[in-house]
Amino acid sequence: MANGDTMVEHRLDTEGADPLMLAGVNDRNMNELTRLFSVRVVMRGDHVILTGALASVERAVPVVQHMIELSRLRAPFDTPDIARFADGVDSSGGNGVLHPSDEVRIALPGSRKVIVPKSEGQRSYLAAILEHDIVIGIGPAGTGKTYLAVAAALDALYKKRVKRIILARPAVEAGENLGFLPGDLQEKVDPYLRPLYDALEDMIPQERVRRALEDSTIEIAPLAYMRGRTLGDAFVILDEAQNATRAQMKMFLTRLGLNSRVVITGDKTQIDLPKKTDSGLLEVEQILGGIEGIAVSYLDARDVIRHRLVKDIIQAYARDEVEGSES
């Protein structure tokens, strides 16, 4: 029998941890550990007992220890987060999970929601937003690029670091031709901007969002409406930036006024412009990287916070693209 196949039992002290938070509803978290690491997991008294092959138990221990620390601090985590903890450990040789006190977090006033990064990539991205005037966040769908940027914008607004939030998107992926759509101008553009409303309404009450939109404390608009403006004392987010042309990207960046912050988010694999090389996101990544005050932050499949299958889907498409380019 190989050394890694030796059966072992390892006990971890859970004293002070919230048992329901640690185990999950109907022991869901314990079952997820079994699925991920092929170990038997039992909670008994003030201990979690891991039983299985030596190599499997060694992989599981830092993840379970992290879960115990979160449960002691009453810091919430979900069952899907356990897989991200495991990915962090696997990618960093056992040191991939942060102590909760090291995490960047945003507590929004008037809301019980505390925004906490779910992965190392998200932590680095949010830290960059809090420390730089311009941040370019690049990564696949579901990695929290927009969500974390909106959280940081609300945090800056509530702390009076800025006077308003401006959220922009290319209204139509290839050309912003809105005339054929029914309704008035707002009705034409709202479907394209809906994800930004969703992020806001997930963090603060809908009535507060409505009031902020009415008094222009928060503005959600198509990218084309930024032309000719100077955006001072504002936290500005350009979402879906892969579908902004190079000319639009330059126009947007030169709107930056005094005491303003900018976050640009995009996914280089989902460019819908007729010519992908026209994407302003591709150009800005190359041109602005290395300038003091500007940070480029990359997220990948390990940072996906949607259904666990989303990560597998992204990786499957990436493999297919590589195989297609080699054939």
Side-chain angles (χ1 to χ4, degrees):
M1 180 180 293
N3 186 53
D5 294 330
T6 301
M7 300 299 291
V8 299
E9 179 181 286
H10 190 96
R11 290 173 174 258
L12 291 166
D13 183 9
T14 64
E15 185 177 359
D18 182 319
L20 179 58
M21 182 178 291
L22 179 58
V25 177
N26 296 324
D27 289 334
R28 190 176 299 165
N29 294 343
M30 301 295 102
N31 294 334
E32 179 70 354
L33 289 168
T34 296
R35 186 188 73 83
L36 289 170
F37 299 108
S38 299
V39 295
R40 184 168 177 262
V41 186
V42 176
M43 288 186 65
R44 187 173 299 155
D46 285 336
H47 290 87
V48 169
I49 304 170
L50 306 177
T51 307
L54 175 60
S56 298
V57 170
E58 286 180 341
R59 285 184 60 227
V61 164
V63 174
V64 178
Q65 188 62 59
H66 186 60
M67 293 167 59
I68 292 170
E69 290 176 1
L70 291 173
S71 300
R72 283 175 175 150
L73 293 170
R74 307 302 190 267
F77 62 93
D78 299 321
T79 301
D81 295 331
I82 299 172
R84 284 185 282 276
F85 300 157
D87 287 343
V89 169
D90 289 343
S91 64
S92 63
N95 298 309
V97 289
L98 295 172
H99 188 277
S101 63
D102 295 331
E103 291 181 343
V104 182
R105 59 183 63 213
I106 293 174
L108 299 175
S111 170
R112 295 182 178 179
K113 187 174 287 289
V114 177
I115 311 300
V116 180
K118 300 287 190 178
S119 67
E120 172 60 24
Q122 286 195 350
R123 189 200 67 79
S124 297
Y125 171 59
L126 185 55
I129 292 175
L130 298 176
E131 295 170 5
H132 294 80
D133 291 334
I134 298 177
V135 174
I136 304 164
I138 298 174
T143 51
K145 302 183 301 295
T146 304
Y147 191 84
L148 292 174
V150 170
L154 288 170
D155 184 55
L157 181 67
Y158 289 141
K159 291 178 178 176
K160 301 188 183 302
R161 292 172 180 163
V162 297
K163 294 181 179 178
R164 56 183 172 154
I165 296 172
I166 299 173
L167 311 174
R169 265 189 166 204
V172 177
E173 285 80 358
E176 298 186 349
N177 296 315
L178 303 174
F180 68 94
L181 293 173
D184 61 22
L185 187 58
Q186 193 62 42
E187 291 171 329
K188 290 175 188 290
V189 301
D190 271 359
Y192 300 99
L193 306 175
R194 187 69 243 176
L196 297 172
Y197 288 100
D198 290 343
L200 283 170
E201 291 171 1
D202 187 64
M203 296 180 208
I204 57 177
Q206 191 171 10
E207 177 61 23
R208 191 182 297 178
V209 174
R210 184 187 63 79
R211 291 199 305 268
L213 291 169
E214 287 177 352
D215 65 18
S216 297
T217 303
I218 298 177
E219 178 184 348
I220 303 178
L223 173 60
Y225 290 15
M226 298 298 107
R227 189 174 300 278
R229 301 179 60 182
T230 299
L231 307 176
D233 286 313
F235 196 116
V236 191
I237 299 171
L238 174 59
D239 193 34
E240 296 290 336
Q242 75 275 5
N243 291 321
T245 65
R246 288 160 30 173
Q248 287 175 325
M249 183 66 75
K250 180 180 179 181
M251 176 273 292
F252 171 77
L253 285 168
T254 54
R255 300 307 92 202
L256 184 63
L258 295 175
N259 191 40
S260 287
R261 312 287 288 274
V262 169
V263 178
I264 298 168
T265 72
D267 179 358
K268 293 191 291 185
T269 69
Q270 294 191 21
I271 298 173
D272 298 309
L273 296 171
K275 289 178 62 179
K276 292 189 175 183
T277 53
D278 287 340
S279 172
L281 183 65
L282 300 180
E283 184 179 63
V284 77
E285 176 190 13
Q286 299 169 0
I287 292 177
L288 300 187
I291 296 178
E292 186 176 354
I294 300 177
V296 182
S297 184
Y298 295 95
L299 297 103
D300 57 32
R302 292 172 297 182
D303 304 305
V304 170
I305 57 170
R306 293 180 185 166
H307 192 287
R308 63 180 179 83
L309 288 176
V310 173
K311 179 176 71 172
D312 296 334
I313 291 167
I314 291 170
Q315 292 175 333
Y317 271 97
R319 285 194 301 269
D320 184 70
E321 289 178 5
V322 171
E323 291 170 0
S325 64
E326 292 176 349
S327 62

